Every structure is written in structure tokens, then in C-alpha cells.
Amino acid sequence: MANWNIILSIAKTHLLTKIKQTSIAALGVTFGIGSYITLVCFMTGLNGMLDGLILNQTPHIHVYNEIEPSKKQPISLYEDFSESFNIIHSIKPKLSQKKIHNALPIINYLETNENVRGALPQVKTQIFYIAGSIEIGGNLTGINPLDEVELFNIDDYIIEGSAEALDQTDNGILLGIGIAEKMSLKVGDRIQVSPVNGEIFPLKIVGFYQSGIADLDAIQSFTNVKTVQRILGEANNYITDINVKLYDIELAVPLSKKIEEQFKLTAIDIKTANAQFETGTTIRNLITYAVSITLLIVAGFGIYNILNMLIYEKMNDIAILKATGFSGKDVQLIFMSQAMIIGFVGGVLGLLIGFGLASLIQTIPFGTEALPTIKTYPINMDPIYFIIGFSFAMISTFFAGYLPSKKAKKIDPVKIIRGQ
Amino acid sequence: MSVVLETKHINKYFKKPVLFHVLKDINFQIKQGEFASIMGKSGCGKSTLLYILSTMDTDYEGDLYLNNELITGQDRIHLSYLRNKHIGFVFQFHYLLSEFSVLENVMLPAKKLAEKSYQEIEHDAMQKLKMLNIDHLAKKRASQVSGGEKQRVAIARALINNPSIIMGDEPTGNLDSYNAENVFNIFKQLSDEKGLSLLVVTHDEDFANKTDRIIQMGDGKILT
């Protein structure tokens, strides 16, 4: 049975009398863990922001009716030419409806799927914004504002006004910031919009929308689904797009294929739409972990080195401890506990420093057009990183201490005592 | 009188650099209260024998008994325990832990044994120091006391667990005659008054002549 009191008191005395080496070893760990925490919080924060930029506002599956030429042209149905080589010039797409047939039952059906977090209807149309004599072409999208906030974080891109205001205002419009600037409009003003068929509808501006992509902000506006349906003179089952958000993004590909087959619609999954994006995230994560692990391994070698030196210095102590009845295991535990104390103290300090640096970075102003709601550098302070950092400190010091302490365990006291 | 330490047919070989038969059929006993010394020329194997008796060296043939218990072939953990409880050591060099105070050095083996409370151990340690007239040094760092004092601290440490036997490897070899005399008197007193067994390897003939019994060794054998 190991006698922890005495083992720890010997370990403590060794560490305190060599306070300089001890602090250097501990600082190595502190530096490693501190930079790991800072790096990982900062990098994942940035990753999260960039993810958010694309993923939050992008549906996992986007379902719509694609306008495309018929795959089977009439000539292929004509039996007389079935054995011939047919050439058709200037094929035109078939005139099909923009709306999704039976959209509301499809939405209800999708929402019963347990993998689906939500399926939201949208109505997209081209309109003209009219202010006085100016007419500017643009897109108007009808949405369910509150559902969009919940699933696609549209509120992150509303720089004035709110999604609630849009929901509560009949004939309200969330105007793209580019249009507002061009037409010198402010919240509360009225703007007239005209669909392609030429009628004019006045809408009240309840807020401004800024996606960060200037070209998009110069044409895109949002209003309620019902308002667009009214502008277009269509019934309330007129839905042009369905945006599906899943619980697990990995299921986007199979589900989109299934939707395409089942409903004869076009369904684009997020992976196809943003393939380059995932690569970036993976590589950034890889760099973060490569740098952190390198730092921690360097810190581990520092501890290994210092414990090794300590054991050479303490050969006589080890011999006398063994001669007076300490077993090899006791001696090993003495040096192991020294390593673990260094790891613990260095690790805790590292967590504090990492926390401090990350908090500091979080206060540094960082303005970006792309994300109007972000004012400072993004930091992701997930407790799991602190747990990983601390565990790594303990594990690396354990291994750094294990080899030297194993050597101390095996030292033959007779050789040391007789060698003098 | 009961036998504290007994060896039966102990043989030892050094395998490096060449095979060498260093101890040849060693048989002897140390009785309780006996103050014995081992003498012999350098290289005759007396220190080697002592380290076998101390249980630190386990690479030998034959049987070793401590308090009539066979300890040859016991595992290392148990040997450490026996060493801790029954054997006290005094070396030529003092071998104190230099970062610890004198008192802590003396208390260390007792703390390891953990049979008594901290207060009892501290009390015992002070008593041993007092007995050796070095109680005024208790709070000093081991590195700050003189050579003769260090050797007395080492003796106090050897005594702390009230061992069955004290072994010394030239305990006076590094001391001037005054301190050597002093250490001998302490040993003698322990043997006479407390009935402690002592086994001391020495080169010092004056020292050996004053002990109860001299074990003369030569060429790995006991001569007398």
C-alpha cells in the first residue's frame, strides 16, 4: 500500500527546492495548453462564423421546379424514325408552371419525417421597385418570418427592424439595404412594387436586410407568403420553393434523391450546392489541431527532460529511500506525482491563460459586411475544449513522467551506495 | 539468546566482467544484543555480504533468515517492508536527504512504516535525537550540519523504527578519530543498554577490537 502522505510530501519538497526548473516545466505546459485553448476557441469561433455565413441561411435541401427542356422530344415517340439518327435544332424548354404542385401536402408529408427539423414554403417572384419615376428590377420572396428566424437565422441579417414586425404587419416588406440606399428609403416609409403583370401594390417598410453580398442586397427583399400570393393574384397553395432543414446534415444527400424520385421535383442538397465549403472547414480544423498537438508535445518533452535531470541529481536520495525501506514503486510514485503536479498546475494555469486570451480576442472589434450582427472577433468557448486541453496536459505529463520514473524505480541502491 | 540474523551456505558470483566467485559458502549467526564487526582486506567480499544481508541485493544462492524467518526469495515489496521495519542502516557517507530538515530525515522511515501517528513519530524522533545529543539541530536543513553530526543523524534515522539489527558499512570510515570514537560509543551503548544487535563492516582495527566479536573474512570465506 502506497503511503500517499509521505510520497506527496517528498515530491513537494523536491519541486519546491527546484522551483526554477519546476516553473519552467510547468510554464511549458501552461504555454502549450494556453495556446491550444486560444487557438481552438478562436479557430472554431471563426469556423462557426463562416459556417453560419453559408449553412445557417442555406436550406439543407432546396426543392423547386426547374425549367428545363423535355428529355423526350416528340420525334422519339414517332415509330417510323425510331431507327434513325434524329437531329433537332434549338430545343426550347417546355412551358411548365413555376409553382410546386400539391406543395402544402408535400410540406406536411416532409414534416412527418423524423429527420426533418422543418420544411418551409417560399414564394419567389420578380418584381419592380417603384419610387416616384424610378423603377428597379428585383426579387421578392414570400416567407413565414418567424419560422425562417427559427430555422435559418434570418434575423442575423436584419440590420433594422425585425422579423416579428414583418410577421405582424400586413403588406409589410423587409427591403434589401442596397435598394433602400438607392431609393433613400428608411424604415416606416412606403414603397410600391409591381409584379410582371403591371399592377402596383404599396408596401410598408418594416426593416432592412443585409446579406453581405452587395449584388444580392441590391435586388432581394422579403415579405409574407400571403402578401406575395396576393400581389401575384394566386391562391394560398401557390408555393414555388420548399426549404428543408434536417437535424443531421449528413442525411441531406439521400433525402434529396428520395424527394426527386417521389415528387418529380428538383431537390438540391447543401453538399452539392456548397462542396468547396466543407473542404475549407476540414482543413482549418486540421491546422488547428496540428499546431495545438505540436505545442503540447513540445511541452511534454520539456517535462521529460527536466524530470530526467532531476532523477540524475537525486540518485543518492533514491538509493537512501530504497535502503530505508521505500519500494521501487514508492520511488516511482514520487517522481510520477511530481510530473502530475507539474501537469496539473501548468494545465490549470494554461486553461486560465487560454480563457483570458480568448476573452481578450472576443473584445477586439471586427466588422464585416458579411455578417452585420457581428461586432467583435468570434470566439467559441465550448467547455469541451477546456476538458480536452486539461486531459491532454495530464496525459502528456503522465507519459513524460512515466519513462524517467520507471528508470528511478529500477535504480539499484547497492550500486549507488557502493559506487561512492 | 535468540538469533536475529542467520546465513546458510550463501554463495555469490559476479558475472561481469568475468565470472568470479565472490562469496564462498558463508555460514554465521548474529544473536540478539551482539555487537559484531566484519573485517578483511579490500575486495574480500565483506561489503557484498553486507548488502546481501541487508536484503537490497537478492542475486545470491543460499538461505538468509531474519528473526528465524526465511527471507530469501521474498518479493521486493515485502523485502522493502522488512528493511523498513527490522533493519537500520548507517553508511560511510551519511546519505541524508539534503533538502529536508534533520527531524524530517529521521522521521522518514517511520512515516513510511505508518504504524504510528504523526505526533508519536515526531516525539520518537526527538527522543532519538536527544539520546544522540543532537536535538538542537532538529530544525536545521540536513545540508547545513557538520559531518560528525550528519552521521549521528543517520544513526538516529536507523533507530527510528526500533529495528532488530543495525548494519553499518564503514560508518566511521569518513570521520576523524574524535567523531569515530563518538559513533563507536553510541553503538556500544545501544548494544549494552538496549540489547540491539549490530553488524559493522570496518577497516578500522581499533574499532573492531572493541566489539564483542570479529568476523574475519578473506577471499570470500569466513576465516574466524
Side-chain angles (χ1 to χ4, degrees):
Chain A
M1 177 57 211
N3 190 338
W4 281 106
N5 264 339
I6 180 130
I7 284 170
L8 287 179
S9 90
I10 294 173
K12 198 182 77 188
T13 312
H14 277 172
L15 289 178
L16 290 181
T17 48
K18 296 269 174 228
I19 190 75
K20 253 187 196 164
Q21 274 117 308
T22 310
S23 349
I24 288 169
L27 274 179
V29 183
T30 303
F31 183 68
I33 302 294
S35 11
Y36 165 75
I37 296 285
T38 315
L39 247 173
V40 85
C41 286
F42 189 35
M43 288 298 256
T44 53
L46 275 178
N47 272 349
M49 187 193 79
L50 293 169
D51 283 359
L53 205 61
I54 309 274
L55 297 184
N56 286 351
Q57 54 177 348
T58 314
H60 292 168
I61 302 173
H62 179 204
V63 186
Y64 62 103
N65 245 340
E66 186 88 89
I67 292 181
E68 57 189 350
S70 302
K71 292 219 165 61
K72 268 194 167 178
Q73 293 295 321
I75 195 163
S76 60
L77 299 173
Y78 195 59
E79 274 179 29
D80 290 359
F81 297 131
S82 62
E83 296 296 314
S84 328
F85 186 73
N86 303 315
I87 297 172
I88 310 166
H89 291 282
S90 95
I91 295 173
K92 293 288 179 290
K94 196 173 103 185
L95 177 67
S96 61
Q97 55 184 1
K98 279 186 192 164
K99 80 166 204 173
I100 296 172
H101 188 63
N102 270 339
L104 297 176
I106 290 175
I107 290 173
N108 287 339
Y109 168 78
L110 286 175
E111 286 197 331
T112 57
N113 187 323
E114 59 180 10
N115 296 318
V116 174
R117 218 175 121 193
L120 299 186
Q122 288 196 341
V123 186
K124 288 187 179 164
T125 185
Q126 270 81 46
I127 45 133
F128 292 102
Y129 302 102
I130 302 169
S133 58
I134 316 169
E135 282 187 14
I136 298 172
N139 296 332
L140 184 62
T141 303
I143 56 171
N144 292 332
L146 297 183
D147 293 341
E148 293 280 341
V149 168
E150 196 194 325
L151 295 184
F152 298 111
N153 303 308
I154 196 174
D155 52 341
D156 284 352
Y157 304 93
I158 298 176
I159 51 170
E160 259 189 273
S162 68
E164 286 77 21
L166 179 61
D167 188 51
Q168 284 155 13
T169 315
D170 206 24
N171 289 342
I173 185 170
L174 198 57
L175 201 62
I177 188 75
I179 308 154
E181 276 166 7
K182 275 184 204 168
M183 297 180 141
S184 307
L185 293 166
K186 54 185 187 298
V187 172
D189 286 355
R190 283 183 176 275
I191 183 169
Q192 287 175 315
V193 299
S194 161
V196 186
N197 65 18
E199 287 179 67
I200 290 179
F201 291 85
L203 295 176
K204 189 182 174 202
I205 299 169
V206 294
F208 292 135
Y209 167 84
Q210 182 178 10
S211 68
I213 303 164
D215 283 347
L216 187 64
D217 293 338
I219 52 172
Q220 181 67 53
S221 294
F222 292 94
T223 182
N224 286 310
V225 170
K226 281 205 176 75
T227 313
V228 184
Q229 285 164 347
R230 200 177 316 131
I231 291 171
L232 295 175
E234 298 281 356
N236 66 358
N237 66 355
Y238 182 86
I239 303 291
T240 60
D241 299 77
I242 300 171
N243 285 346
V244 182
K245 185 138 183 171
L246 304 175
Y247 288 105
D248 182 5
I249 194 168
E250 302 300 321
L251 296 173
V253 181
L255 192 65
S256 70
K257 290 223 168 72
K258 198 177 140 199
I259 292 172
E260 281 195 338
E261 279 172 22
Q262 194 170 358
F263 301 112
K264 302 260 182 303
L265 292 166
T266 308
I268 300 289
D269 62 272
I270 190 164
K271 300 221 161 174
T272 315
N274 297 293
Q276 86 290 359
F277 174 76
E278 208 180 15
T279 320
T281 308
T282 317
I283 288 176
R284 279 192 299 272
N285 278 337
L286 206 67
I287 293 172
T288 310
Y289 279 94
V291 172
S292 312
I293 287 171
T294 311
L295 288 170
L296 290 173
I297 286 175
V298 170
F301 272 105
I303 296 175
Y304 172 80
N305 207 2
I306 280 167
L307 272 181
N308 244 343
M309 272 165 46
L310 193 73
I311 284 166
Y312 275 114
E313 273 173 38
K314 299 288 177 203
M315 282 290 194
N316 285 351
D317 285 21
I318 293 167
I320 197 66
L321 284 172
K322 285 187 172 176
T324 54
F326 284 78
S327 61
K329 201 173 167 78
D330 293 331
V331 172
Q332 183 176 25
L333 285 175
I334 288 172
F335 287 96
M336 277 311 294
S337 43
Q338 291 185 23
M340 298 313 276
I341 290 170
I342 290 176
F344 183 82
V345 173
V348 168
L349 279 177
L351 294 187
L352 290 177
I353 284 181
F355 181 77
L357 277 177
S359 308
L360 190 74
I361 291 173
Q362 205 166 21
T363 63
I364 298 173
F366 171 65
T368 167
E369 285 276 295
L371 279 173
T373 46
I374 285 185
K375 300 277 179 275
T376 56
Y377 278 104
I379 288 290
N380 176 18
M381 272 209 239
D382 193 331
I384 191 77
Y385 301 133
F386 288 78
I387 295 168
I388 291 176
F390 188 70
S391 316
F392 203 103
M394 296 312 276
I395 291 169
S396 65
T397 48
F398 178 86
F399 283 112
Y402 183 77
L403 296 174
S405 73
K406 184 113 183 159
K407 192 161 69 188
K409 179 187 179 178
K410 283 188 179 150
I411 284 173
D412 181 0
V414 178
K415 271 188 196 146
I416 308 289
I417 294 167
R418 300 202 62 177
Q420 284 269 330
Chain B
M1 242 192 256
S2 66
V3 173
V4 174
L5 194 69
E6 186 175 10
T7 67
K8 286 183 182 165
H9 310 294
I10 284 192
N11 281 282
K12 177 164 174 84
Y13 301 88
F14 281 149
K15 290 176 181 96
K16 282 175 192 170
V18 287
L19 192 70
F20 176 59
H21 197 173
V22 55
L23 293 176
K24 297 163 188 163
D25 197 36
I26 304 286
N27 292 291
F28 73 94
Q29 292 183 340
I30 302 286
K31 295 194 177 68
Q32 202 195 335
E34 198 172 14
F35 186 178
S37 56
I38 303 178
M39 289 210 50
K41 294 204 173 76
S42 278
C44 70
K46 53 190 192 308
S47 289
T48 307
L49 176 61
L50 189 74
Y51 288 108
I52 287 173
L53 299 180
S54 77
T55 74
M56 280 193 274
D57 189 350
T58 52
D59 182 20
Y60 61 88
E61 292 163 10
D63 297 332
L64 175 64
Y65 295 87
L66 184 68
N67 292 328
N68 296 317
E69 182 193 355
L70 177 68
I71 58 171
T72 303
Q74 302 256 29
D75 69 78
R76 287 186 169 275
I77 303 272
H78 189 66
L79 289 180
S80 294
Y81 169 76
L82 289 176
R83 209 151 57 224
N84 190 216
K85 186 165 172 60
H86 295 297
I87 303 174
F89 272 103
V90 184
F91 303 101
Q92 180 173 5
F93 297 94
H94 34 78
Y95 281 113
L96 301 177
L97 304 187
S98 53
E99 288 108 357
F100 290 78
S101 76
V102 164
L103 185 64
E104 282 172 302
N105 264 292
V106 176
M107 287 165 70
L108 212 57
K111 283 192 193 163
K112 167 62 193 164
L113 191 62
E115 279 180 354
K116 293 177 180 170
S117 72
Y118 183 84
Q119 280 79 12
E120 283 175 291
I121 293 172
E122 195 173 19
H123 178 256
D124 285 0
M126 280 310 288
Q127 232 173 9
K128 306 285 181 207
L129 288 174
K130 221 172 263 174
M131 194 172 82
L132 300 171
N133 291 320
I134 44 171
D135 50 318
H136 57 286
L137 299 173
K139 295 289 167 203
K140 277 202 173 176
R141 282 263 212 112
S143 52
Q144 290 169 330
V145 302
S146 76
E149 288 165 342
K150 275 179 185 165
Q151 198 58 297
R152 277 187 277 168
V153 175
I155 295 170
R157 185 181 58 196
L159 292 171
I160 187 72
N161 283 337
N162 299 316
S164 313
I165 186 165
I166 295 230
M167 294 184 188
D169 187 7
E170 309 217 23
T172 58
N174 207 29
L175 299 176
D176 59 47
S177 55
Y178 170 76
N179 276 312
E181 180 76 21
N182 204 337
V183 166
F184 176 80
N185 289 337
I186 291 166
F187 281 161
K188 188 75 188 159
Q189 193 185 354
L190 288 169
S191 164
D192 292 347
E193 291 174 13
K194 313 254 167 185
L196 200 66
S197 312
L198 288 126
L199 181 62
V200 176
V201 167
T202 183
H203 268 120
D204 184 347
E205 233 166 285
D206 294 340
F207 184 100
N209 287 334
K210 288 186 274 182
T211 59
D212 301 345
R213 174 181 165 199
I214 299 176
I215 300 167
Q216 195 76 38
M217 278 185 75
D219 289 335
K221 280 181 244 173
I222 291 179
L223 303 175
T224 53

